[in-house]
Amino acid sequence: MAYQPAEQRYDRMTYRRCGRSGLKLPAVSLGLWHNFGDDRPLESGRAIVRRAFDLGITHFDLANNYGPPYGSAEVNFGRVLAEDLRPHRDELVISTKAGYDMWPGPYGNWGSRKYLLSSLDQSLGRLGLDYVDIFYSHRFDPDTPLEETVGALVSAVQQGKALYVGISSYSATKTREAAELLRAAGVPLLIHQPSYSMLNRWIERELLDALGELGVGCIAFSPLAQGMLTDKYLHGVPEGSRATQGKSLSGDLLSEANLAHVRALDEVAAARGQSLAQLALSWALRDARVTSVLIGASGVGQLEDNVAALDGPPLTDDELARIEEHAVDAGIDIWAESSNAG
């Protein structure tokens, strides 16, 4: 039977304006960094994407090298798009990125014009699309002139291959520079995608102020600290979890000191009638400058639980004060090399 999305899909979701643009994003967006490669059944990803759209999630975020293997998340999402969501393309915001390693040799990494535009063409082919809604520079390249990287983003829009452009993990200084270059070229900087969570608060130092002043949206990735801000690690490290797989969450980060803070935050969540993950999402969205939080999902149930964070009550001053005691840096910002450059 052909997929028919829920008629009430827009009734529950909250949508926030992205900076000073005309584009609104759902408060919760779905990222396909994990769980959408060829190591997972396609039907699992299909069920998650369908349910996300039924819940009002209109924004699906990818990158060229999401998998494994590289590119497979775009291929798999492209299949779901073609078979299930093609009639609803104009209801969707689809984003992809280039900036990390994608193919061998000197032209498959970082921020050159050669790499970014070639990668975008490849991404469009894998997705089966003529354009993406947002194309990002995935990280700052200290060895390529920013004018060249930004010029590639401008070309993506001028060629009709992207409607908007964004950057990810740039410092406040480089964000301002990129925004000025883009403005001069007539292509506004729509959005910045930084890591941000209760255990990784680097954007509060300067970046959020810069985005607010520039009128640029902010979509926070890894708001659950790669699973640390869930109930997964409250009582140890379960077999098969991300921390045991040598992926982006090192088991070294699950120190007793870090877990003590996580358990205290879980107590705050329980007192509010929320899960720890729901509290983490509510907290990240407390600042109006954060347009959306970008979540992953390994199953439909996890997706539904996370979206339910939007049903929680506003955080009180007492709750925020308690959170402040335990929302401390946990050493999990593995993307700091990009944001510290320049």
Side-chain angles (χ1 to χ4, degrees), residues 146-165:
L146 188 57
E147 291 84 355
E148 179 176 342
T149 299
V150 166
L153 297 179
V154 171
S155 292
V157 173
Q158 292 174 338
Q159 293 170 7
K161 297 174 182 178
L163 299 185
Y164 302 94
V165 296

Side-chain angles (χ1 to χ4, degrees), residues 246-294:
K247 293 184 178 180
S248 51
L249 177 62
S250 168
D252 296 341
L253 298 175
L254 300 173
S255 65
E256 186 52 40
N258 280 346
L259 291 178
H261 289 299
V262 169
R263 293 184 187 111
L265 292 168
D266 183 57
E267 292 176 1
V268 177
R272 285 171 48 81
Q274 287 186 309
S275 68
L276 177 55
Q278 290 168 345
L279 173 67
L281 298 177
S282 295
W283 180 88
L285 287 166
R286 77 198 186 286
D287 192 314
R289 294 171 296 184
V290 176
T291 312
S292 182
V293 288
L294 190 59

